[in-house]
Amino acid sequence: MSEASSSHEGVDGVAPFELHYFPPDPDLADMVSSFYFARLNMPKFDEYERADRPQFRFVTNADGEYVFADGHRTTVSRAIIIGPTSGRVRAISNCPAQLFGFGMLPAGWAALMGDDAEKLTDRAINAVDLFGPWIEEVATALENAPDVEARLVIGNNFAREVLTRGEAAPLWFIRTVDQWLTASPSPQVSDLVDATGMSIRSVERMTKHYYGLSPRMLARKYRAVRAASALARGEGLDSAQLGDAFYDQSHLIREIKRFAGATPGQLGKPTTYTEATTKGRKQLAGKVSPMVSET
């Protein structure tokens, strides 16, 4: 998470960065993690986003790119779908912009993408290529909305419409995986296999499809982003029940840098972007799943 967002002054004296999170409507709680609105009021934004769940974003003045952990680059489009990520992602905007989007939980991701769900890990596509030019009308409606409340109405209605394209996800499996990820600071794959009563091959196939990653990589990702979020909020790892989650200090540094894009020392003095992200999600506690608010 680079220093770009905290080193530039805002344009026209306005705060250089602004970010707000909002819970979805209750009927979308199994599919949408949260909605968010961001204002990038700086000549250039260049930050590492942490490894995350899939995102659907609408961007004004789209001029930038995403650089994924494997080096793959995708140009930012006005409406863009970003798949689940296995590591930090460099997000670049070459001009001031506004962004409205929502994260997708596994059930929402499968409903949006169907059989293609696991093919977009560490990739992004222009939403027009998937849905056609009517997506531009949604983008225009969001840009012309008078306030965030109006955008949220549009966003919730849009999510209801598009998160029906694919399959109905097995919520029992998703809830079992989520419980597995949150029950221990270092989730063991054998415990997930036992909890599901399935073979290891079936568990791996289903986690790759719904979460975009193998069980082992999913556990590493969640452990690292939980630790990174706690450090960025000024909390100790012990208070976040992660004191014994890493073998040693070097292991902690490697994992957090891979999945969050910063070292623990850098997270102790978070950038404006990092602080807004971690504290904003934490403020959703009790309104969304702990999988969202704790990371």
Side-chain angles (χ1 to χ4, degrees):
M1 302 176 186
S2 73
E3 294 298 326
S5 69
S6 59
S7 60
H8 288 296
E9 293 183 359
V11 177
D12 297 329
V14 180
F17 182 78
E18 181 183 350
L19 174 64
H20 302 282
Y21 285 93
F22 308 91
D25 284 348
D27 63 305
L28 293 172
D30 286 328
M31 294 191 289
V32 174
S33 60
S34 66
F35 289 92
Y36 49 87
F37 174 71
R39 195 189 307 273
L40 314 179
N41 197 56
M42 58 188 74
K44 186 178 181 69
F45 177 89
D46 189 343
E47 287 274 0
Y48 279 118
E49 295 188 1
R50 40 146 281 183
D52 210 346
R53 57 188 59 85
Q55 307 290 319
F56 203 127
R57 292 175 176 171
F58 293 90
V59 186
T60 65
N61 303 326
D63 178 13
E65 62 179 341
Y66 292 106
V67 185
F68 295 93
D70 62 358
H72 181 80
R73 310 173 88 98
T74 298
T75 300
V76 175
S77 53
R78 193 181 184 200
I80 188 167
I81 299 169
I82 305 166
T85 48
S86 66
R88 65 187 188 182
V89 179
R90 188 178 174 193
I92 301 169
S93 177
N94 296 313
C95 62
Q98 293 185 24
L99 183 153
F100 180 86
F102 58 93
M104 284 169 279
L105 297 171
W109 182 233
L112 180 75
M113 299 304 301
D115 291 340
D116 294 328
E118 63 190 271
K119 298 177 183 177
L120 273 183
T121 298
D122 293 325
R123 294 294 183 267
I125 60 170
N126 189 329
V128 173
D129 295 338
L130 186 65
F131 291 106
W134 72 271
I135 288 292
E136 296 283 355
E137 299 176 11
V138 180
T140 299
L142 286 166
E143 289 178 18
N144 293 336
D147 49 38
V148 173
E149 287 73 20
R151 291 188 181 97
L152 283 171
V153 172
I154 296 170
N156 276 280
N157 288 335
F158 173 74
R160 285 189 187 93
E161 184 167 355
V162 298
L163 299 184
T164 56
R165 178 176 179 268
E167 64 198 71
L171 290 178
W172 72 267
F173 178 78
I174 291 169
R175 287 167 181 158
T176 300
V177 175
D178 287 356
Q179 173 64 24
W180 169 70
L181 286 170
T182 55
S184 167
S186 256
Q188 301 299 305
V189 176
S190 59
D191 293 335
L192 178 60
V193 173
D194 291 342
T196 61
M198 301 165 62
S199 69
I200 181 63
R201 288 191 63 184
S202 295
V203 170
E204 288 184 346
R205 176 179 57 82
M206 291 184 71
T207 56
K208 285 181 179 178
H209 182 66
Y210 291 106
Y211 291 83
L213 298 171
S214 68
R216 180 174 176 275
M217 184 63 74
L218 186 62
R220 287 178 61 193
K221 169 181 170 177
Y222 186 68
R223 177 182 61 189
V225 296
R226 278 181 66 195
S229 295
L231 292 171
R233 293 193 299 263
E235 302 170 4
L237 294 186
D238 288 338
S239 65
Q241 299 182 333
L242 291 164
D244 297 324
F246 301 91
Y247 301 127
D248 52 31
Q249 185 69 11
S250 61
H251 181 223
L252 171 69
I253 293 171
R254 286 196 310 272
E255 291 291 279
I256 288 183
K257 189 168 185 179
R258 171 180 177 141
F259 291 99
T263 66
Q266 290 169 332
L267 290 171
K269 297 180 180 179
T271 66
T272 303
Y273 164 76
T274 302
E275 185 175 32
T277 301
T278 55
K279 289 187 176 181
R281 294 188 185 200
K282 185 70 171 180
Q283 289 173 353
L284 291 175
K287 302 175 183 178
V288 298
S289 162
M291 288 282 292
V292 179
S293 59
E294 293 302 315
T295 61

